[in-house]
Amino acid sequence: MQVSIEIATWTHNNHGLFDYESKELKTSKINVRNTTNLILNEDNSDTIVQSDNVGGDCIGSISFEGNSIYFQSNPDFQDAYVKLDPKQKQQLQAGDLFKFGRMEYFVSELNNGDKVQMAEDHYNLERHIKIQKKKDPRQCRFCLMDDQEETEDPKNPFLQDLCSCKGLMAYVHFECLKSWVNFQNRISCKQTLNTVQYHWNKVLECDVCKDPLPARVYIENQPEPLQMIQVEKLDGPYIILEQITRQESLSKSLTFMHAFGSCSVSIGRGHNSEIRCQDISVSRNHANISYEKFWYIQDQGSKFGTLRIIQSKLQLLKEVQEIQIGRVLLKIKII
Ligand SMILES: [Zn+2]
Ligand SMILES: [Zn+2]
């Protein structure tokens, strides 16, 4: 058993959208017979070499384990995504991150009907904060109340270090900040058959220093993140899809999707899509999310594909799977 890898590299990373007619496209091919790291060799026209070392630009590794072979991403390099097969639906999990064209969606909460799965803070979004012990007297810059540490409500903690504000401006109650953010950012709410969609025009930001603020705040040693956007949850199976912005020019949104018995929700640029992504890189009918005892996603034959982040490792198959890592594309299969 060995692994065949066809490699294509582009000179520039263009949101992982690959132009196959580009003159700057370089291709090569390797076969892998043992567990090894895959190193991007930039000196030698972007070939991939096999190595026992992790040094350099290690884009991931191939591991032979019993009768199975896996691709494992390198968390210190760039995120790796696998392209979904449009012929098959795949089960959704909390913590999944999908790319539709260059739009990224994070499954931050998922309920299959029995219990709620919360995603952990992932993918270097830097939304994890520490609440520091009280040193000086602290006052909330919104309500001007002093800090009462002994009566602090864990759902409404006193926050600092959420943005660059210093001195008297540094401290806020979470609920005070949340009210302001929900008011100031003019969050619109759109209801469709299976969703409630919250949209805002720009990145949520601090009222003073204009630093971007996260839609969810993960506090150390607290199991549930605090939600900056007020989402009304309905009973029964649901998921929360959070649109993630790495480029501030793209808008953000939060979608609450619920199912009574079963449901099917289309995602795309077209007018008929229940979740509309108004970006040219998204196909008119791009993907579909459905519920039938579990939540599923299926690509609808979109131009740039539906990409799922590889959270730990991906089992390799006899069928070709496409893995995208920055400006590298691997077509990988067992032969
Ligand atoms: Zn306050
Ligand atoms: Zn600030």
Side-chain angles (χ1 to χ4, degrees):
M1 234 176 17
Q2 52 176 302
V3 177
S4 147
I5 309 178
E6 283 179 43
I7 303 146
T9 54
W10 281 257
T11 314
H12 303 290
N13 182 4
N14 182 25
H15 307 288
L17 304 176
F18 295 143
D19 172 12
Y20 290 90
E21 274 127 46
S22 167
K23 290 194 178 73
E24 292 164 344
L25 175 67
K26 290 169 187 158
T27 56
S28 56
K29 200 174 167 187
I30 56 171
N31 285 352
V32 175
R33 292 179 182 83
N34 310 98
T35 294
T36 186
N37 293 311
L38 303 174
I39 311 287
L40 179 63
N41 187 348
E42 292 185 330
D43 298 334
N44 185 10
S45 57
D46 283 347
T47 50
I48 302 281
V49 291
Q50 304 177 46
S51 169
D52 291 338
N53 301 323
V54 194
D57 281 336
C58 175
I59 62 168
S61 57
I62 303 290
S63 61
F64 288 68
E65 299 174 24
N67 289 325
S68 302
I69 310 177
Y70 298 91
F71 171 84
Q72 199 145 7
S73 58
N74 176 9
D76 296 327
F77 195 65
Q78 297 176 44
D79 291 329
Y81 297 84
V82 60
K83 201 170 183 176
L84 296 190
D85 179 355
K87 293 190 284 296
Q88 281 177 346
K89 61 180 183 181
Q90 303 270 343
Q91 202 180 324
L92 279 178
Q93 278 160 4
D96 270 337
L97 192 147
F98 292 98
K99 278 175 79 166
F100 309 117
R102 57 184 175 186
M103 308 284 271
E104 290 187 82
Y105 286 85
F106 178 53
V107 181
S108 58
E109 265 183 67
L110 181 146
N111 182 351
N112 277 321
D114 44 5
K115 67 176 198 302
V116 179
Q117 299 170 28
M118 289 272 177
E120 288 172 20
D121 195 12
H122 270 299
Y123 319 123
N124 305 318
L125 296 173
E126 292 174 5
R127 302 183 293 183
H128 216 121
I129 67 157
K130 271 185 198 164
I131 295 195
Q132 298 197 340
K133 286 267 179 291
K134 181 177 176 177
K135 285 188 206 126
D136 311 311
R138 307 184 299 181
Q139 193 183 55
C140 172
R141 70 168 182 260
F142 289 101
C143 68
L144 305 181
M145 297 259 282
D146 288 327
D147 176 25
Q148 304 283 331
E149 198 169 28
E150 55 285 357
T151 58
E152 186 164 290
D153 175 358
K155 289 203 158 48
N156 184 23
F158 227 71
L159 299 181
Q160 64 185 90
D161 299 334
L162 204 56
C163 59
S164 313
C165 287
K166 295 277 179 285
L168 286 175
M169 289 295 172
Y171 306 109
V172 283
H173 285 117
F174 174 72
E175 286 294 335
C176 292
L177 180 65
K178 176 176 171 175
S179 302
W180 192 90
V181 163
N182 279 263
F183 169 72
Q184 185 64 24
N185 287 278
R186 295 170 206 271
I187 292 155
S188 68
C189 182
K190 173 184 157 192
Q191 255 177 311
T192 64
L193 181 62
N194 297 295
T195 72
V196 185
Q197 299 174 30
Y198 302 85
H199 289 272
W200 51 98
N201 289 329
K202 51 180 187 175
V203 172
L204 300 177
E205 60 183 27
C206 167
D207 54 313
V208 181
C209 69
K210 307 293 178 197
D211 270 5
L213 295 172
R216 294 154 69 85
V217 179
Y218 291 77
I219 309 282
E220 277 207 336
N221 305 324
Q222 201 165 299
E224 282 197 20
L226 303 168
Q227 319 267 354
M228 195 71 82
I229 304 297
Q230 188 66 49
V231 176
E232 302 300 336
K233 292 181 192 169
L234 302 170
D235 287 342
Y238 74 85
I239 57 171
I240 294 180
L241 271 187
E242 187 181 326
Q243 190 201 334
I244 294 181
T245 308
R246 300 193 199 207
Q247 300 84 31
E248 290 195 13
S249 57
L250 295 176
S251 67
K252 287 189 64 171
S253 69
L254 207 72
T255 298
F256 179 85
M257 194 184 298
H258 52 91
F260 301 106
S262 65
C263 84
S264 175
V265 174
S266 56
I267 299 169
R269 191 161 46 87
H271 288 279
N272 299 332
S273 299
E274 200 166 337
I275 297 179
R276 281 192 77 191
C277 304
Q278 299 192 34
D279 190 276
I280 193 73
S281 65
V282 179
S283 296
R284 284 173 200 283
N285 182 17
H286 199 108
N288 184 276
I289 291 183
S290 59
Y291 177 82
E292 206 169 322
K293 293 201 178 99
F294 297 99
W295 286 97
Y296 296 96
I297 188 165
Q298 186 165 13
D299 182 69
Q300 301 293 303
S302 63
K303 184 176 177 199
F304 290 112
T306 298
L307 306 182
R308 178 188 219 162
I309 204 161
I310 299 171
Q311 292 198 50
S312 53
K313 57 186 187 179
L314 174 78
Q315 184 164 6
L316 301 182
L317 308 169
K318 291 215 156 58
E319 293 80 46
V320 176
Q321 295 187 88
E322 282 186 26
I323 298 173
Q324 295 192 3
I325 312 147
R327 59 193 182 84
V328 179
L329 177 76
L330 307 176
K331 288 187 180 173
I332 192 164
K333 66 175 179 183
I334 296 176
I335 52 172

